[in-house]
Amino acid sequence: MRMSSPRFQPSSPIHGTGRRKSQFTYRQLSLLASYSTSSPLRVIAHVDLDAFYAQAEMVRLGIAEDQPLAVQQWQGLIAVNYPARSFGIGRHCTVTDAKKLCPKLIAQHVATWKEGDEKWAYHDDAASHIGTHKVSLDPYRLQSRKILALIKESLPPNLQKVEKASIDEVFLDLSAHIHSILLQRFPELTNPPPYDDPTEKLPLPPITALDWQADALIDLEDAELEADDPDWDDVVILIGSEIVRDIRAHIRRALGYTCSAGIAGNKMLSKLGSGYKKPNQQTVIRNRAVQHFLSGMKFTKIRNLGGKLGDQVVSSFNTETIKDLLPVPVEQMKLKLGDDTGVWLYNTIRGIDPSEVNSRTQIKSMLSAKSFRPSINNQEQGIKWLRIFAADIFSRLVEEGVLENRRRPKTINLHHRGQGGQTRSRQSSIPQGRTLDEATIFELAKNLFSQIIQEARVWPCANLSLSVGGFEDGVTGNLGIGAFLLKGDEARESRGTSREASVGSSTHERPEKKRRVDNPGIQRFFPRKGSSSGGDVEESLDDDVVDTVNPRIRTKEASPNRTGNGPKPIMDNYIKVCTRCDARLDDAEALQNHLDWHFAKDLQDEERGKRTFANSHSTVSRGQKTATASSSSSKKPTRASASNSKLEHGQSKLKFG
């Protein structure tokens, strides 16, 4: 029911003890602020770009909105704008067939990579070079990131929960944002519940009509059931529609894109709503209209019900419509589909979906692939494509912040498919601790390719794909322990600079105050002098992710307990002094870095001594080692060994030999 009245119209009933109450409680209102999936007042929006790839090309080329356009990939179409759809053109059409239906159709080929290019580009002759070009969707990824950033910019920084569902669709949990607006518009909701009982019912909203403006509002099954006075679930979803309308307008003004949206009480309904009226419209599904909205729909339109599970449901119950499934008891669904699936289906066709909006929008992997038509037949051809894959992936890694160490992948995988369909894969780790560049990715890919070639016959090759994954956030601002292990002239220059600083700052020295840390803490993870534990120190240092462990804590706790002459800092208000080499540093952070250098040097010298000791006893028999190991295993586990059983994120185990 669409009203032309103001957005909120005051209600005629006077507040009093006899006034009807809302069906919602104070507790349910408070749940709205915490994004609780159990709140019946929850509001979720789904924003979907209209024919996104086609729109991106129209915006890039400055093409009028009424001009038919399709995005071409080789001889097929991957996107068709709405003016072109009116001619009966779909993604199943070939370019030739589409131009027969609409002679004025603009068929824009996607950007492609070709060997020798440092970046993807738009090539006029790309369609005739399927054997030497590879499709790039990077232009659309870049636009997608801009749109996502704009959506986040439109929401309060502390009240946004955004999930990028794909390159052209986003879920928004607007609950907490709406809660804050609700308290501003209706201050009476800030009062405590009567008798301080959160289960008390809320008063009804002090309004009689809601203005849904241009929204596609799903009607109720019986128009007479439309209440004169809305309840709070209607009010919150109206506020949600206002927020989404503003977001869509902002995207339109700033970037030129239109998008459709669905606003409802959960993710499933909002996604169905965004596709209900296209293009450039938004659909509102109130709680009271859910059953009417779903009843005439095929359940195969619902996510996870369009594939094999959907086919199984159709064959089990001889129907495709939700309306026909509603009378089926849950026990019968469980019997035919299994307990979990049966309950899930029973709830889904009734519009129940407790899934959360996942605010993690970062990608988990990157893939660059090519299907060869015709197949390639030698290693030289394959390596040419690996070079393109490496350039493709690296250009996207740069956008993810790999150069600034914000995010980087841990693994690389090469997948090969032969002409007969047989597949082979090889994976390796990506070296950490150094800048990741295109050449590194290319070399790793070639190594994996060589492994696949050596193990079996791989020609002709029908498909190759290179991917990186296992992304983790980088650590910036911290120095690895290797940064403190200076050698030769660099070390002498460092010591000379420290002594000069000591002489130059001596006139400003104030009474010294010693600071001591007695807690052994992290010291227990390191072998004591005289221990027989061996191992390669450089390997141990590489394996221990020092950047993720606070080096300040490590030095203060470990160094004094490891050696009798460990660095003991002298602290004062202006300069920091190292008693080990008399260096004076400007501040506590500089002193701590200096002490870490001493500690790392001591550790290196000590471990070198242990290796010499271990080498001199290399004639120990295997039986003696076994007996020692057996004896050690019978002892009660130490605290250090127990702590090694579980590592914090970003840490790895030190090797003690």
Side-chain angles (χ1 to χ4, degrees), residues 164-180:
K164 183 179 178 181
S166 72
I167 195 170
D168 62 349
E169 56 181 331
V170 176
F171 284 106
L172 310 173
D173 190 335
L174 301 171
S175 301
H177 186 192
I178 290 171
H179 182 267
S180 67

Side-chain angles (χ1 to χ4, degrees), residues 423-592:
T423 60
R424 296 177 180 86
S425 295
R426 281 292 177 270
Q427 178 177 298
S428 71
S429 59
I430 296 174
Q432 304 295 305
R434 66 181 184 184
T435 302
L436 180 60
D437 56 20
E438 181 180 329
T440 301
I441 296 173
F442 180 47
E443 287 302 318
L444 290 169
K446 285 198 299 182
N447 290 338
L448 296 176
F449 194 36
S450 297
Q451 294 175 30
I452 291 175
I453 291 173
Q454 290 170 8
E455 74 171 20
R457 179 177 175 272
V458 296
W459 311 112
C461 172
N463 178 278
L464 277 177
S465 65
L466 185 69
S467 62
V468 294
F471 278 82
E472 62 182 4
D473 294 334
V475 179
T476 57
N478 285 347
L479 296 175
I481 199 167
F484 302 110
L485 299 179
L486 307 181
K487 298 180 180 179
D489 294 338
E490 190 178 4
R492 285 191 290 274
E493 181 180 347
S494 173
R495 286 195 291 272
T497 303
S498 298
R499 290 193 178 108
E500 288 175 12
S502 171
V503 173
S505 59
S506 60
T507 56
H508 301 285
E509 190 171 344
R510 294 175 63 121
E512 299 175 344
K513 297 179 182 178
K514 292 188 177 181
R515 182 175 180 179
R516 180 179 177 186
V517 180
D518 295 322
N519 181 7
I522 202 169
Q523 183 270 341
R524 67 182 183 273
F525 291 105
F526 295 88
R528 296 181 179 276
K529 269 195 171 182
S531 167
S532 60
S533 65
D536 188 336
V537 64
E538 291 184 2
E539 183 180 357
S540 296
L541 289 176
D542 287 340
D543 288 344
D544 184 20
V545 187
V546 180
D547 287 1
T548 61
V549 180
N550 189 335
R552 181 181 304 274
I553 296 176
R554 165 175 288 186
T555 303
K556 287 182 180 179
E557 293 182 349
S559 298
N561 289 280
R562 288 184 56 78
T563 63
N565 61 346
K568 297 184 177 68
I570 299 174
M571 316 293 285
D572 63 48
N573 292 335
Y574 296 99
I575 53 176
K576 314 300 176 187
V577 184
C578 173
T579 57
R580 188 161 180 184
C581 66
D582 295 326
R584 285 170 165 74
L585 292 307
D586 292 336
D587 53 36
E589 182 177 357
L591 174 63
Q592 192 59 61

Side-chain angles (χ1 to χ4, degrees), residues 524-525 638-648 651 653:
R524 67 182 183 273
F525 291 105
T638 64
R639 184 179 178 184
S641 64
S643 66
N644 282 338
S645 63
K646 185 175 182 181
L647 298 171
E648 297 296 328
Q651 294 180 325
K653 293 184 179 180

Side-chain angles (χ1 to χ4, degrees), residues 11-13 19-20 204-205 207-209 226-231 234 288:
S11 176
S12 54
R19 187 167 184 243
R20 287 191 304 118
L204 278 172
I207 48 180
T208 56
E226 190 81 58
D228 292 333
D229 290 329
D231 209 336
D234 301 309
R288 290 177 291 160

Side-chain angles (χ1 to χ4, degrees), residues 192-214:
Y195 318 110
D196 288 328
D197 182 1
T199 63
E200 281 286 322
K201 301 286 188 181
L202 292 164
L204 278 172
I207 48 180
T208 56
L210 302 179
D211 180 11
W212 299 98
Q213 296 190 27

Side-chain angles (χ1 to χ4, degrees), residues 592-645:
Q592 192 59 61
N593 288 341
H594 180 77
L595 296 181
D596 285 348
W597 177 84
H598 275 302
F599 171 63
K601 191 69 169 63
D602 288 345
L603 180 64
Q604 186 182 47
D605 293 340
E606 180 180 331
E607 293 292 354
R608 282 174 179 165
K610 289 172 189 167
R611 287 201 300 276
T612 302
F613 178 82
N615 291 338
S616 67
H617 290 76
S618 59
T619 57
V620 176
S621 68
R622 183 180 300 273
Q624 289 174 311
K625 291 181 180 179
T626 305
T628 303
S630 175
S631 174
S632 299
S633 64
S634 64
K635 296 179 181 179
K636 184 178 180 180
T638 64
R639 184 179 178 184
S641 64
S643 66
N644 282 338
S645 63

